[in-house]
Amino acid sequence: MPLPEKLPTFDELPAVPGAPPQSAWWLFGRDDQVGMFNLQTPERIADAARLVRHGKMFPMNWELELPNPPLFSRGAVRQTIFRRPTSHDDVLDNFYPQASSQWDSLVHVGHSQHGLYNGITSADVTGQPGTKNGIEHWARRGIAGRAVLLDLGRYFAAIGSPLDCGSDRRVTAAELEACRQAQGVEIREGDVLLLRFGWQDWYLAQDSATRQAISNRSALRAPGIAAGEEMARYLWNCHVVAIGADNPALEAWPRTPETGGFLHEYIIGLFGMGIGELWDLSRLAADCADDGVYECFFVSAPLNKLGGVGSPPNALALK
Amino acid sequence: MPLPEKLPTFDELPAVPGAPPQSAWWLFGRDDQVGMFNLQTPERIADAARLVRHGKMFPMNWELELPNPPLFSRGAVRQTIFRRPTSHDDVLDNFYPQASSQWDSLVHVGHSQHGLYNGITSADVTGQPGTKNGIEHWARRGIAGRAVLLDLGRYFAAIGSPLDCGSDRRVTAAELEACRQAQGVEIREGDVLLLRFGWQDWYLAQDSATRQAISNRSALRAPGIAAGEEMARYLWNCHVVAIGADNPALEAWPRTPETGGFLHEYIIGLFGMGIGELWDLSRLAADCADDGVYECFFVSAPLNKLGGVGSPPNALALK
Amino acid sequence: MPLPEKLPTFDELPAVPGAPPQSAWWLFGRDDQVGMFNLQTPERIADAARLVRHGKMFPMNWELELPNPPLFSRGAVRQTIFRRPTSHDDVLDNFYPQASSQWDSLVHVGHSQHGLYNGITSADVTGQPGTKNGIEHWARRGIAGRAVLLDLGRYFAAIGSPLDCGSDRRVTAAELEACRQAQGVEIREGDVLLLRFGWQDWYLAQDSATRQAISNRSALRAPGIAAGEEMARYLWNCHVVAIGADNPALEAWPRTPETGGFLHEYIIGLFGMGIGELWDLSRLAADCADDGVYECFFVSAPLNKLGGVGSPPNALALK
Amino acid sequence: MPLPEKLPTFDELPAVPGAPPQSAWWLFGRDDQVGMFNLQTPERIADAARLVRHGKMFPMNWELELPNPPLFSRGAVRQTIFRRPTSHDDVLDNFYPQASSQWDSLVHVGHSQHGLYNGITSADVTGQPGTKNGIEHWARRGIAGRAVLLDLGRYFAAIGSPLDCGSDRRVTAAELEACRQAQGVEIREGDVLLLRFGWQDWYLAQDSATRQAISNRSALRAPGIAAGEEMARYLWNCHVVAIGADNPALEAWPRTPETGGFLHEYIIGLFGMGIGELWDLSRLAADCADDGVYECFFVSAPLNKLGGVGSPPNALALK
């Protein structure tokens, strides 16, 4: 199916008549299971590869053992090593693909009223042959293209309003836009948007009592983007394929009805965009701060797991 | 530590006096835990990125459920999906990072007499803080560079001597070289060498009885590169960083003393090169056969698992 | 529902009109999920407890790590120990309740034509609330009563025809009966029947190559009871509640159409009897050989796992 | 090694000169790994079996899925069912033997200053051959004997001071003794002591929010026996082999220095007694309330796991 010549704006949604309000369902066909990554066209990929000017690599997979303890009641991976005199093998148990750096696939969260992206239901999510919208669709297609980093941590510090990563500060669309302008970088259709809050640096500085405390879902407070329609409009109108952040949930935590509900429902459930969380953006951000270049070539190869709900990003930014 | 100006040839090994014969130990320093990937320099990475001319992506992660049953007594991954009305989470158990497409890290196999790469011992392989030579060193550095594909399957078919993927045909160094020349491609220092035997296509055509039969280690017969010193000399003198293949063990199986022993001992244990197995090379190979271009940009982001013995390759070839 | 006053003989089956031929379905009610253990009545339990004359205990759980490697493609349990200075915790992964000593629950095997015991289908076996015929029904009721041991290993040795535990010798109903008479013990309605072949003693004497070899399902040869209608008639007419053996499959292995098919289909699928395998009967048998008393009090507390297919026997014989 | 003719009183401890103060270390020999279960002698077992007068069974394994979520940061068991047309197999992952009804083995908790029972150290707890004091020692010996139930829940209700199972009420030794006298039952050397607080009945009546809340270790409040020397003296002087309770930790939770510290250190670490927690005592207690008989025959067959820290009790009380 050819891509649409022009993507609808947020106010033109739904993209296809009959689809849920404000949704991009069926934009790439009724049976599409890939979502916005369809916008990573060969032309865009080839263009983006030219951003590799210095040969610098920035892997996005944080230590698989972090956070420790994991957040949101997920579990810690267990490795068993098998030994023979001069060789080893290993096996992992209790491996939550969303415990550390992660992609959320299109089945992670749907819209609370309209359901999962493109109209599939929970009954379609089986992990068995025939399962729908799983991570394997991204894995088999591959992910590559241009990415833009917005370093919100440095931006807010620079304007004298530093982010407290122990708080649930909610960054607005206007603030994202102000950061973008301050950095002088353009966001283009088909990009991956990277958002650094500085959460990981903060986490590494906490003692084990604090780490233990915030592993209790109800005690976690973390800054992130604000929920609500204004943010949804901004992100959709950027026409990005995915948003990857270094904080626990991309959006601020806790999410409450009073603060706009659950933005995941828009991003994944209605838009079909990928969400990345707990990505290791520290080194990339430091490099961008050094050279003032906030764009890069971004590649990712998720786990090819049938019906996978999540995956480590297995991503590199290259400059 | 700066890279050596000139790499030793096989006959000049050991690279450092006092190291085991024929070894490259300590070439990148006594404490190096990365091995030959040190040769992926910024210059080489930037050069290789220019091979992305068309924006085509070729992911290397085969289905995580294949082979089924797994080979070499490894186990099949189990996914448990947690459901709430419009969201899902998942967890993986019995996940053998070497059951499907895989990187072998530097602790997978050592030399039977001299031990693990750079002189570490099995006691150094703990999976706990302080563990050595694990996959996390590649993950934290990132993997990117030029790759060259040798399509042995097509080559041997073309010269009227097709590979039987149910046999243990042992491809010699001279045959690798002949294939390379027939393809008209150059192998350069720092490259990843990709070898396609056509094993996966063969596997997919087998019925479940055959798949069951070859899951028994002693019944497996698979073509691959020959073991022995001649092959070791050829590979080392290419100065490649890693060798990724689509067959079960890179080298032919079974490995026997009569056929040169266990080539892994040279490649991983003495040279510090990465080995990749069961990689999905089918689509890449078809594309190379189409356009006659056998070089590409290769990127990989292994699992960042402390002390990990293996990992899915999480690799893309880009052309 | 009261128990039937008189149990049907094999030739009077089906027990209830309309049930499959030769089946005991619905004997204890349409909704019964316990099967023949219904025959362990309070009176029989109290009587059996009087068999504890000396206070001797014979636990039936073999080492959870044996056989090693496991048989029939099951996996080896993995333990992870969590440590604090003076305390520990542990967790088990890859725990196959049927890898070592085991109960087969009523959902393990059904009749190939008529389905699972009492007419449930595989769709009823969910492991979720509402699941049917799982091990939890035995666990919540408890298992206690009289057991009788037939020590076939010693019997055949005594008559000059020792069992070769590396062979698939098929012990007939007539031979079971001859052994029973030689031992001078009576089998009563409601008993657990214990059958010792001597397989575990044999296994412990094998080297690791043999153990490896027989872990391949197709290479396993093990003595056991013969399959077929004659054996089914004998066992049913004994009206035992369960049969526990020290060999891999109770019946001889391999099972083939030529040798009477798969006896499990009768015992579990049509009769609703429990099957026990790989039970540690060595010490009990030695004691019985010493004192000539082949009856005992038998107690078992299976895992209370919703929808469990198997469980360690967690059984003691007491004399 | 013969049993001591007369067991020391608490004030006569240590049992063996040179052992830590107040400890029973080495009472059954320097190399003993069984602890107080040594007191379950054949005579006592045979006597206890005579308590089976009616053939009533009371299994102690609560649903393996309860509590849900588990307490103390343990995990919930995951079952995977393998299906063929008329047969099934299953495997358990993330099986914490101490998540539901459980035995604490002698390596679960040691004394904070003196270490683990009989002087072993954490380095002796490997789960590999040579590991010490693991659950396998109880499994291979078997557990059977007399048990006495103290139904504290009913007792406190009867005297007009009902236990609030959402509180951390600490039951004193004097109150245990008063309950015992009110029930008119004798505790004898070698008995298993069963303590019912009514916690499980309370738990089943809670909604999911409360269950979620108390799964957070710091929010749990549960009644239990008081800690401290007075309780230690009482329990030791009873010379029981083990104490099994229906509450989360036997002793009241939270444990604090102000309320006497951690009683487990005495019971397991210094005395070598078994501790049971979350046992299903409801039906047994109801029966005892009915007939006024608070003694029973108690049997248990723990998992035979090398180096196991915990196990489901796999226990039955029989009357």
Side-chain angles (χ1 to χ4, degrees):
Chain A
M1 174 167 179
L3 292 186
E5 288 195 23
K6 188 184 162 302
L7 294 171
T9 65
F10 183 78
D11 294 323
E12 291 164 356
L13 294 176
V16 174
Q22 302 187 323
S23 86
W25 287 17
W26 315 326
L27 183 59
F28 305 104
R30 289 264 164 177
D31 296 330
D32 171 61
Q33 301 186 53
V34 169
M36 290 291 275
F37 283 113
N38 281 293
L39 297 179
Q40 291 189 324
T41 59
E43 297 71 27
R44 285 181 179 138
I45 294 169
D47 282 352
R50 291 188 200 106
L51 299 173
V52 187
R53 297 184 185 107
H54 307 286
K56 291 184 281 191
M57 298 186 279
F58 305 98
M60 307 263 143
N61 282 356
W62 206 21
E63 282 92 329
L64 210 53
E65 295 80 13
L66 292 176
N68 176 17
L71 309 178
F72 304 116
S73 303
R74 289 171 183 139
V77 66
R78 289 189 285 275
Q79 178 194 29
T80 301
I81 299 178
F82 305 105
R83 296 164 189 283
R84 281 156 298 186
T86 56
S87 70
H88 305 85
D89 240 53
D90 61 356
V91 60
L92 304 181
D93 291 294
N94 209 44
F95 176 27
Y96 281 75
Q98 295 180 87
S100 182
S101 304
Q102 72 201 263
W103 275 121
D104 293 350
S105 84
L106 295 178
V107 295
H108 176 46
V109 172
H111 188 271
S112 54
Q113 290 186 283
H114 305 301
L116 297 163
Y117 180 66
N118 271 357
I120 72 158
T121 68
S122 189
D124 296 317
V125 182
T126 62
Q128 302 299 317
T131 194
K132 289 197 178 157
N133 284 14
I135 197 83
E136 74 275 19
H137 294 284
W138 296 351
R140 293 172 192 180
R141 175 185 165 89
I143 293 173
R146 182 175 180 265
V148 164
L149 173 74
L150 298 187
D151 188 344
L152 299 160
R154 281 186 175 76
Y155 167 73
F156 281 113
I159 65 170
S161 171
L163 286 176
D164 173 1
C165 282
S167 81
D168 63 345
R169 177 148 161 198
R170 294 164 200 278
V171 175
T172 66
E175 289 171 320
L176 288 185
E177 179 60 15
C179 173
R180 186 194 68 73
Q181 293 185 10
Q183 289 182 188
V185 67
E186 187 185 355
I187 301 173
R188 298 185 198 143
E189 190 174 309
D191 279 358
V192 171
L193 180 60
L194 303 174
L195 300 181
R196 177 184 173 271
F197 295 89
W199 189 85
Q200 289 178 316
D201 299 322
W202 172 86
Y203 184 84
L204 293 173
Q206 303 309 305
D207 60 16
S208 73
T210 300
R211 294 180 182 192
Q212 186 71 47
I214 66 173
S215 74
N216 178 6
R217 185 191 191 94
S218 63
L220 178 65
R221 298 284 175 282
I225 58 176
E229 188 173 307
E230 185 188 339
M231 180 59 75
R233 176 178 287 106
Y234 181 79
L235 294 174
W236 174 260
N237 285 340
C238 287
H239 294 140
V240 291
V241 300
I243 308 161
D246 71 337
N247 65 349
L250 173 59
E251 52 192 300
W253 198 263
R255 55 183 172 85
T256 66
E258 297 72 35
T259 52
F262 192 19
L263 190 68
H264 278 54
E265 298 190 17
Y266 268 110
I267 302 179
I268 305 177
L270 297 181
F271 298 165
M273 289 175 179
I275 287 182
E277 292 154 343
L278 295 174
W279 288 10
D280 187 354
L281 299 176
S282 296
R283 284 177 289 172
L284 173 64
D287 185 81
C288 295
D290 273 357
D291 71 3
V293 176
Y294 288 88
E295 62 181 357
C296 59
F297 186 43
F298 175 91
V299 294
S300 160
L303 294 182
N304 191 355
K305 175 68 197 71
L306 187 70
V309 179
S311 170
N314 305 330
L316 298 175
L318 294 132
K319 287 179 65 176
Chain B
M1 175 166 178
L3 293 186
E5 288 195 22
K6 188 181 164 304
L7 294 171
T9 65
F10 183 78
D11 293 324
E12 292 165 355
L13 294 176
V16 174
Q22 301 186 324
S23 85
W25 288 17
W26 316 326
L27 184 57
F28 305 104
R30 289 267 164 174
D31 296 330
D32 172 62
Q33 301 186 53
V34 169
M36 289 291 275
F37 284 113
N38 280 294
L39 296 178
Q40 291 190 324
T41 58
E43 298 70 27
R44 286 182 177 136
I45 294 170
D47 281 352
R50 289 187 202 107
L51 299 172
V52 188
R53 297 184 186 106
H54 307 286
K56 291 185 282 191
M57 298 185 279
F58 305 98
M60 307 263 144
N61 282 357
W62 207 20
E63 283 91 329
L64 209 54
E65 295 80 13
L66 292 175
N68 175 19
L71 310 178
F72 304 116
S73 303
R74 289 171 182 139
V77 66
R78 289 190 285 274
Q79 177 194 30
T80 301
I81 300 178
F82 305 104
R83 296 165 188 283
R84 281 155 298 186
T86 54
S87 70
H88 305 84
D89 240 53
D90 62 356
V91 60
L92 304 180
D93 290 295
N94 209 44
F95 177 27
Y96 281 76
Q98 294 180 87
S100 182
S101 305
Q102 73 202 260
W103 275 121
D104 292 350
S105 83
L106 295 179
V107 295
H108 177 46
V109 172
H111 188 272
S112 55
Q113 291 185 283
H114 305 301
L116 298 162
Y117 180 66
N118 271 358
I120 72 158
T121 67
S122 189
D124 296 317
V125 182
T126 62
Q128 302 299 317
T131 193
K132 289 197 179 157
N133 284 12
I135 198 82
E136 75 274 19
H137 294 284
W138 296 351
R140 293 172 192 180
R141 175 185 164 89
I143 293 173
R146 183 176 180 263
V148 164
L149 173 74
L150 297 187
D151 188 344
L152 299 159
R154 280 186 176 77
Y155 167 74
F156 281 113
I159 65 171
S161 172
L163 287 175
D164 172 4
C165 282
S167 82
D168 62 345
R169 177 149 160 198
R170 294 166 200 275
V171 175
T172 66
E175 289 171 321
L176 289 184
E177 179 60 15
C179 173
R180 186 194 69 72
Q181 293 186 11
Q183 290 181 187
V185 67
E186 188 187 355
I187 300 173
R188 299 186 196 141
E189 188 175 309
D191 279 359
V192 171
L193 180 60
L194 303 173
L195 300 181
R196 176 184 173 270
F197 295 88
W199 189 85
Q200 288 178 317
D201 299 321
W202 172 86
Y203 185 85
L204 293 173
Q206 303 309 304
D207 60 17
S208 73
T210 300
R211 294 181 183 191
Q212 186 72 46
I214 66 173
S215 73
N216 179 6
R217 184 192 191 93
S218 62
L220 178 65
R221 297 284 175 281
I225 57 177
E229 187 173 307
E230 187 188 338
M231 180 59 74
R233 176 180 286 106
Y234 180 78
L235 294 174
W236 175 259
N237 285 339
C238 287
H239 293 139
V240 292
V241 300
I243 309 162
D246 72 337
N247 66 348
L250 172 59
E251 53 192 301
W253 196 264
R255 55 184 171 84
T256 66
E258 296 71 35
T259 53
F262 192 18
L263 190 67
H264 277 54
E265 298 190 17
Y266 269 111
I267 303 179
I268 305 177
L270 297 181
F271 298 165
M273 289 176 180
I275 287 183
E277 293 154 342
L278 296 173
W279 288 10
D280 187 354
L281 299 177
S282 295
R283 284 177 289 172
L284 173 64
D287 186 81
C288 295
D290 274 355
D291 70 4
V293 177
Y294 287 87
E295 60 181 358
C296 60
F297 185 44
F298 176 90
V299 294
S300 160
L303 294 181
N304 191 355
K305 176 68 196 74
L306 187 70
V309 179
S311 170
N314 306 330
L316 299 174
L318 294 132
K319 286 179 68 177
Chain C
M1 175 166 181
L3 293 186
E5 288 195 22
K6 187 182 164 306
L7 294 172
T9 65
F10 183 77
D11 293 325
E12 291 166 355
L13 295 176
V16 175
Q22 301 185 324
S23 85
W25 288 16
W26 316 327
L27 183 57
F28 305 104
R30 290 266 164 176
D31 296 330
D32 171 61
Q33 302 186 53
V34 169
M36 291 290 273
F37 284 113
N38 281 293
L39 297 178
Q40 291 189 324
T41 59
E43 296 71 25
R44 285 182 178 136
I45 294 170
D47 282 351
R50 290 187 202 108
L51 299 172
V52 188
R53 298 184 185 106
H54 307 286
K56 291 184 281 190
M57 298 185 279
F58 304 97
M60 307 262 143
N61 282 355
W62 207 20
E63 282 92 328
L64 210 53
E65 295 80 13
L66 291 176
N68 175 19
L71 309 178
F72 304 115
S73 303
R74 289 173 182 136
V77 65
R78 290 190 285 275
Q79 177 194 30
T80 301
I81 299 178
F82 305 105
R83 296 165 189 283
R84 281 155 297 185
T86 54
S87 69
H88 304 85
D89 239 53
D90 61 355
V91 59
L92 304 180
D93 291 294
N94 209 45
F95 176 27
Y96 281 75
Q98 293 179 89
S100 183
S101 305
Q102 72 201 263
W103 274 121
D104 292 351
S105 84
L106 295 178
V107 295
H108 176 46
V109 172
H111 187 271
S112 56
Q113 290 185 284
H114 305 301
L116 298 162
Y117 179 67
N118 271 357
I120 72 157
T121 68
S122 190
D124 296 317
V125 182
T126 62
Q128 302 299 317
T131 193
K132 290 197 179 156
N133 285 13
I135 197 82
E136 75 274 19
H137 294 284
W138 296 351
R140 294 172 191 179
R141 176 186 164 88
I143 293 173
R146 182 175 181 264
V148 164
L149 172 75
L150 298 187
D151 188 344
L152 299 159
R154 279 186 176 78
Y155 168 73
F156 281 113
I159 66 170
S161 172
L163 286 175
D164 173 2
C165 282
S167 81
D168 62 346
R169 177 148 160 198
R170 294 165 201 276
V171 175
T172 66
E175 290 171 320
L176 289 184
E177 179 59 16
C179 174
R180 185 192 71 72
Q181 293 185 11
Q183 290 181 187
V185 67
E186 188 187 356
I187 301 174
R188 300 186 195 140
E189 189 175 308
D191 279 359
V192 171
L193 180 60
L194 303 174
L195 300 181
R196 176 183 174 270
F197 296 88
W199 189 85
Q200 289 178 315
D201 299 322
W202 171 86
Y203 185 84
L204 293 172
Q206 303 308 305
D207 62 15
S208 73
T210 300
R211 295 180 181 191
Q212 185 72 46
I214 66 172
S215 72
N216 179 7
R217 184 190 190 94
S218 63
L220 178 65
R221 297 285 175 280
I225 58 177
E229 188 173 307
E230 186 188 339
M231 179 59 75
R233 176 178 287 105
Y234 181 79
L235 294 174
W236 175 259
N237 285 340
C238 287
H239 293 141
V240 292
V241 299
I243 309 161
D246 71 337
N247 66 348
L250 173 59
E251 52 192 302
W253 198 264
R255 54 183 172 86
T256 67
E258 295 72 36
T259 52
F262 192 18
L263 190 68
H264 278 53
E265 298 190 17
Y266 269 111
I267 302 179
I268 305 178
L270 297 182
F271 299 165
M273 288 175 180
I275 288 183
E277 292 154 344
L278 295 174
W279 288 10
D280 187 354
L281 299 177
S282 296
R283 284 177 289 172
L284 173 64
D287 185 81
C288 296
D290 274 355
D291 69 4
V293 177
Y294 287 88
E295 61 182 357
C296 59
F297 185 44
F298 175 91
V299 294
S300 160
L303 294 182
N304 191 354
K305 176 67 197 74
L306 187 69
V309 179
S311 170
N314 305 331
L316 299 175
L318 293 131
K319 287 179 66 176
Chain D
M1 173 164 179
L3 293 186
E5 288 195 23
K6 186 181 164 305
L7 293 172
T9 65
F10 183 77
D11 294 323
E12 291 165 355
L13 295 176
V16 175
Q22 302 186 324
S23 85
W25 288 17
W26 315 327
L27 183 58
F28 305 104
R30 289 265 164 176
D31 295 330
D32 172 62
Q33 302 186 51
V34 170
M36 290 291 274
F37 284 113
N38 280 295
L39 297 179
Q40 291 190 323
T41 58
E43 297 71 25
R44 285 181 179 138
I45 294 170
D47 282 351
R50 290 187 201 107
L51 300 172
V52 188
R53 298 182 186 108
H54 307 286
K56 291 184 282 190
M57 298 185 279
F58 304 98
M60 306 263 143
N61 281 355
W62 206 22
E63 284 91 328
L64 210 53
E65 295 80 13
L66 290 176
N68 175 18
L71 309 178
F72 304 115
S73 303
R74 290 174 181 135
V77 66
R78 289 189 285 276
Q79 177 194 30
T80 301
I81 299 178
F82 305 105
R83 296 165 190 283
R84 282 155 298 185
T86 54
S87 69
H88 304 84
D89 240 53
D90 62 355
V91 60
L92 304 180
D93 290 294
N94 209 44
F95 177 28
Y96 281 75
Q98 294 180 87
S100 183
S101 305
Q102 72 202 261
W103 275 123
D104 294 348
S105 84
L106 295 179
V107 295
H108 176 45
V109 172
H111 188 272
S112 55
Q113 290 185 283
H114 305 300
L116 297 162
Y117 180 66
N118 270 357
I120 73 158
T121 67
S122 190
D124 296 317
V125 182
T126 62
Q128 303 298 318
T131 194
K132 290 197 178 156
N133 284 14
I135 197 82
E136 75 274 20
H137 294 285
W138 296 351
R140 293 173 192 179
R141 175 184 164 90
I143 293 173
R146 181 174 181 265
V148 164
L149 172 74
L150 298 188
D151 188 344
L152 299 160
R154 280 186 176 78
Y155 167 74
F156 282 113
I159 64 170
S161 172
L163 286 176
D164 173 3
C165 282
S167 81
D168 62 345
R169 177 148 159 197
R170 293 165 201 277
V171 175
T172 65
E175 290 171 319
L176 289 185
E177 178 60 16
C179 173
R180 185 193 70 72
Q181 294 186 10
Q183 289 181 186
V185 67
E186 188 186 355
I187 301 173
R188 299 185 198 142
E189 189 174 308
D191 279 359
V192 171
L193 180 61
L194 303 174
L195 300 182
R196 177 184 173 268
F197 295 89
W199 189 85
Q200 288 178 316
D201 299 322
W202 172 86
Y203 184 85
L204 292 173
Q206 303 308 305
D207 61 16
S208 74
T210 300
R211 294 180 183 192
Q212 186 72 47
I214 66 172
S215 73
N216 178 6
R217 184 190 191 92
S218 63
L220 178 65
R221 297 284 175 282
I225 56 176
E229 188 173 306
E230 186 188 339
M231 180 60 74
R233 176 179 287 105
Y234 181 80
L235 295 174
W236 175 259
N237 285 339
C238 288
H239 294 140
V240 293
V241 300
I243 310 162
D246 71 337
N247 66 348
L250 172 59
E251 53 192 299
W253 197 264
R255 55 183 170 86
T256 66
E258 295 73 34
T259 52
F262 192 19
L263 189 68
H264 278 54
E265 297 190 18
Y266 269 111
I267 303 178
I268 306 177
L270 297 181
F271 298 165
M273 289 175 180
I275 288 183
E277 292 154 343
L278 296 174
W279 287 11
D280 187 354
L281 299 177
S282 294
R283 285 177 288 172
L284 173 64
D287 186 81
C288 295
D290 273 356
D291 69 4
V293 176
Y294 287 87
E295 61 181 355
C296 59
F297 186 43
F298 175 92
V299 294
S300 160
L303 294 181
N304 192 353
K305 175 69 197 73
L306 187 69
V309 179
S311 170
N314 306 331
L316 299 175
L318 295 131
K319 286 179 66 175

